[in-house]
Amino acid sequence: MEIGFGAGEHLTAMARAHPEVGFIGCEPFINGVARLLGFIDQYQLDNVRIVDGDAALLLDKLPDASIDRAFLLFPDPWPKRRHHKRRFVRPSNIAAMARVLADGARWRMATDDAGYCRWMLAHLADHPEFEWLVRRPSDWRCRPEDWPPTRYEGKALAEGRAPAYLGFQRRSRQVTADAANGLIKGGEAHI
Ligand SMILES: C[S@@+](CC[C@H](N)C(=O)[O-])C[C@H]1O[C@@H](n2cnc3c(N)ncnc32)[C@H](O)[C@@H]1O
């Protein structure tokens, strides 16, 4: 699932690379939807479904543990403090993501806004249902090879802003429940 696919270049590249996988893209911007439809037509993709609206509404409809990979790439940063509540990464959406992601599912996100990066980490790095997959600085400074670039990434780089690439894993529900019940130590509550 890709949230806010923009012009759809990342979703198209992923759908072409993994024809056996079904993809859902959410994007309320009609020109973006039109661009993605153009790519679908150009590459004859039959594994992409589009929701032309708010991803939060789709999340409400998805069954538990139904998504294996999620992508939130360069979401609108809403830099003013009074607008922070509009950011996609917020407690209600994180809870919805934790519900729809399968155990072990990966959630990739990227931003070129330092404030939003701190916000993402503040909300997710210590979250009981997510683990930040990071071992060394290059893990968040460099885009992995299997992560296709997007238009907004190109814009950020051209304007001299270094993006952060964050990868999270949805923890196993059983392990999280055991940790909450004190059956295992918090530090061992990893998949
Ligand atoms: C800054 S653009 C990034 C587009 C693309 N991901 C990229 O990296 O080039 C953010 C996109 O998120 C979309 N968006 C904003 N709120 C959204 C929401 N609630 N659900 C889905 N998409 C949303 C916007 O329409 C916009 O296309």
Side-chain angles (χ1 to χ4, degrees):
M1 174 174 63
E2 182 164 343
I3 297 155
F5 57 73
E9 54 286 270
H10 174 275
L11 188 50
T12 300
M14 294 298 258
R16 293 183 72 199
H18 305 282
E20 75 289 0
V21 173
F23 290 82
I24 306 176
C26 298
E27 175 55 67
F29 179 49
I30 192 72
N31 291 3
V33 172
R35 290 289 299 276
L36 179 58
L37 286 171
F39 288 135
I40 289 173
D41 194 37
Q42 179 180 350
Y43 298 113
Q44 294 292 295
L45 299 174
D46 63 3
N47 57 339
V48 178
R49 300 293 179 270
I50 300 175
V51 176
D52 58 342
D54 182 351
L57 301 177
L58 170 66
L59 290 177
D60 284 347
K61 306 278 181 211
L62 289 173
D64 293 358
S66 56
I67 300 289
D68 286 320
R69 297 278 184 277
F71 306 96
L72 176 70
L73 309 180
F74 301 90
D76 298 318
W78 296 109
K80 290 182 183 157
R81 181 182 286 270
R82 69 175 186 280
H83 292 155
H84 284 180
K85 57 182 179 298
R86 299 183 188 175
R87 288 176 165 172
F88 185 83
V89 175
R90 58 178 184 262
S92 56
N93 283 341
I94 293 171
M97 292 295 289
R99 184 183 69 74
V100 304
L101 290 175
D103 289 4
R106 302 289 175 96
W107 183 8
R108 282 178 166 175
M109 56 186 81
T111 183
D112 59 325
D113 183 279
Y116 202 179
C117 181
R118 282 194 295 276
W119 171 279
M120 288 169 171
L121 291 174
H123 282 79
L124 283 159
D126 283 333
H127 194 284
E129 287 161 308
F130 290 96
E131 179 184 6
W132 182 23
L133 300 173
V134 67
R135 296 284 175 271
R136 54 190 76 82
S138 59
D139 290 343
W140 60 268
R141 284 184 181 151
C142 305
R143 177 165 46 75
E145 279 182 14
D146 65 345
W147 180 330
T150 69
R151 198 150 57 124
Y152 269 79
E153 181 199 66
K155 204 167 167 272
L157 292 171
E159 292 169 9
R161 291 186 303 280
Y165 306 93
L166 307 177
F168 298 92
Q169 185 168 42
R170 204 259 180 251
R171 296 184 197 273
S172 148
R173 287 161 170 78
Q174 187 60 54
V175 172
T176 306
D178 287 351
N181 291 330
L183 297 179
I184 56 175
K185 283 185 249 151
E188 292 169 5
H190 295 242
I191 293 173

